[in-house]
Every structure is written in structure tokens, then in C-alpha cells.
Amino acid sequence: MAKINTAVLQKMKQQAEKITMLTAYDASFAKLFAEQGVEILLVGDSLGMVLQGHSDTLPVTINDIAYHTRSVRAGAADAFVIADMPFMSYGTLEQTLQNVMPLMQAGANMVKLEGGEFLLPTIKALTERGVPVCGHLGLTPQSVHVFGGFKVQGKSNEQADSILTQAQALQAAGIQLLVLECIPTALAKRITDALTIPVIGIGAGNVTDGQVLVMHDIMGISSGYIPKFSKNYLQQTGEIRSAISTFVSEVKSGIFPAAEHSFN
């Protein structure tokens, strides 16, 4: 796979070529995913649940993310690696700048922040200092206690308009990628059409510019349950490499996500 960067991802959006993203936490799986054509590897704070066994992502630290980012980069030199900024690691600008450094030094191409308009000054400061930023709207897992659980966001007209407005503001502030999680498909299309940057969906229908899933979910090995928006590709194919290549193929062709993986 050729080296992936923000220019490549932007061109993929312009040419309506779907982008694939998977979470990755170690060198072996990062190498395998890149070999099967996955463009973006996300070192997600989801590691708190799937690796560390917590009930949510809140206990994850910057050191945790930096360690796994370094491992992922070692396995996939040409992949585009995004590192999550964990809970309360970007509460102030000074704190953000201090915490971004070990992630970028570990090999991240971009950092991901959850939230809307309160992040605008932070995003501007990061991009001015050469740190690419990915936004994350909709169901933001770090705010799970505010939402009262893992619930679909943007179902009312007021909520939907607010999320769209926030997405536009984040883009204006300088984000170069946006993740939309657990929102109605119609809203995801409004946002994807309104933005010039690539929009990656998870539980947002097949109308976005790409899809991201948690690797443990597509292999059916997550503890607890498999989310509605995911699919057990390992069960479907019976072999890990085939599971990943099928995920890539189905995203590229628009087969995944289907209606049963989406929210109205």
C-alpha cells in the first residue's frame, strides 16, 4: 500500500472512493490490516474496554495511547495512524499541547478529540503548531455519563441541527477529518455533503466517506456484546485476513453498512 497522508484521504473524498479505518493496538494486527488495504489505523481509547477490561474508556491514559501508537507504527510504516486523546487529557490548552507531544513522537499522523464548539480554540492552536486534528461528534464515548449511556444522538431536529453546526465549526477551525458515531443516516448525509473534509462513520449509515469499526467487534471477540452497527466478519469468512479484506471490499462497494447496521 502506498503511503497514506491527508492529501490522499482528501482526494479519496473528492473522487467518492470510500475510506476504511480500523482500530489497532499492536504491530502484528497493524501490519495485517495495512496489508489488506485499510487506509487508517485508529489507536482508540476503546483499548480501555477491549484490552484493559474496563466498562468504559475513561480510565485510559496518554501513556497507554502512546505505548500502543508506537506499537502500531512499528507494524505499519505507511498507514495513516490516528491517536485518541483520552478523557480529560485536553481540558486546557497547556495540558493539550503537553499531551499531544508524546503521541506525535510515538508515530501518530493525527490526534482525535471528542466534542464540539468548546474545542475550537484548541483545534486552531494545534493546527497552527503542525498537529493535524480529527474531530468526533454524535455519540462521544468520553461523555457517556452525560448522555446516560451509549445512545443514538441527533434524533430530534434540534439535536441534528446542532451537530451539523458543530461539524461546520470544527472544519472551519481546522480539523481535517471527522468521525460521526451513532447518528441517524439522514443526518450523516447532511453533514457529509456539507463538509469538504472526509467524514468517517460508525453507526452512521453508508452515506459517509468511509467507515470505522473496532477490530475486536469485527472478529466477534469483544466482551459483552457486538454493537448493532458492527458485523462479525470473522464468522462470515472463517479466517482473519479474509475477514479484513471482506470488510474493506464491502465498505468500498457500499454493501457495508447495510440498513440493519444503521439508525433511522
Side-chain angles (χ1 to χ4, degrees):
M1 182 172 66
K3 193 172 187 66
I4 306 295
N5 54 37
T6 53
V8 170
L9 298 174
Q10 188 64 45
K11 186 176 181 181
M12 290 178 72
K13 172 167 179 124
Q14 293 166 352
Q15 297 181 341
E17 179 184 350
K18 296 286 189 180
I19 299 165
T20 57
M21 183 194 303
L22 283 175
T23 62
Y25 314 100
D26 65 35
S28 297
F29 277 111
K31 182 175 186 292
L32 187 154
F33 295 166
E35 288 174 347
Q36 299 307 313
V38 178
E39 286 92 9
I40 304 176
L41 303 180
L42 171 63
V43 183
D45 58 5
S46 50
L47 69 87
M49 300 173 75
V50 298
L51 297 186
Q52 298 175 338
H54 300 301
S55 60
D56 54 42
T57 64
L58 306 190
V60 177
T61 69
I62 280 288
N63 288 339
D64 292 334
I65 298 290
Y67 170 86
H68 290 282
T69 298
R70 194 171 295 108
S71 299
V72 166
R73 175 55 72 202
D78 293 331
F80 193 83
V81 176
I82 300 177
D84 260 343
M85 294 285 288
F87 179 66
M88 291 302 292
S89 66
Y90 46 102
T92 67
L93 179 56
E94 182 181 3
Q95 183 186 34
T96 304
L97 297 176
Q98 182 177 356
N99 285 328
V100 157
M101 187 169 65
L103 302 187
M104 298 300 288
Q105 289 177 334
N109 298 107
M110 178 178 276
V111 296
K112 183 166 74 66
L113 311 178
E114 294 184 9
E117 293 177 358
F118 77 94
L119 286 174
L120 300 183
T122 299
I123 292 165
K124 290 177 182 177
L126 288 174
T127 55
E128 286 171 354
R129 290 162 174 80
V131 179
V133 179
C134 174
H136 186 157
L137 292 172
L139 173 58
T140 47
Q142 291 175 17
S143 301
V144 63
H145 295 311
V146 175
F147 294 146
F150 294 94
K151 298 179 179 180
V152 179
Q153 303 297 306
K155 291 193 288 186
S156 71
N157 290 336
E158 183 180 3
Q159 271 192 337
D161 290 344
S162 174
I163 294 173
L164 172 58
T165 299
Q166 290 179 72
Q168 292 170 320
L170 291 178
Q171 177 178 264
I175 66 166
Q176 293 178 279
L177 202 71
L178 177 66
V179 170
L180 294 177
E181 181 168 354
C182 287
I183 64 171
T185 301
L187 174 57
K189 179 164 177 51
R190 285 177 64 194
I191 295 171
T192 303
D193 290 347
L195 299 189
T196 58
I197 60 171
V199 177
I200 309 298
I202 176 168
N206 67 354
V207 296
T208 53
D209 300 307
Q211 299 293 325
V212 58
L213 287 178
V214 175
M215 60 167 281
H216 291 67
D217 288 345
I218 73 170
M219 296 180 193
I221 57 173
S222 296
S223 58
Y225 76 104
I226 303 299
K228 168 187 168 72
F229 53 71
S230 194
K231 182 177 179 181
N232 188 339
Y233 280 97
L234 184 58
Q235 184 181 53
Q236 176 180 323
T237 62
E239 196 265 333
I240 291 177
R241 284 178 175 80
S242 297
I244 304 308
S245 65
T246 302
F247 163 73
V248 171
S249 174
E250 290 195 356
V251 170
K252 297 286 187 185
S253 65
I255 294 174
F256 179 83
E260 63 263 29
H261 310 112
S262 308
F263 302 100
N264 295 322

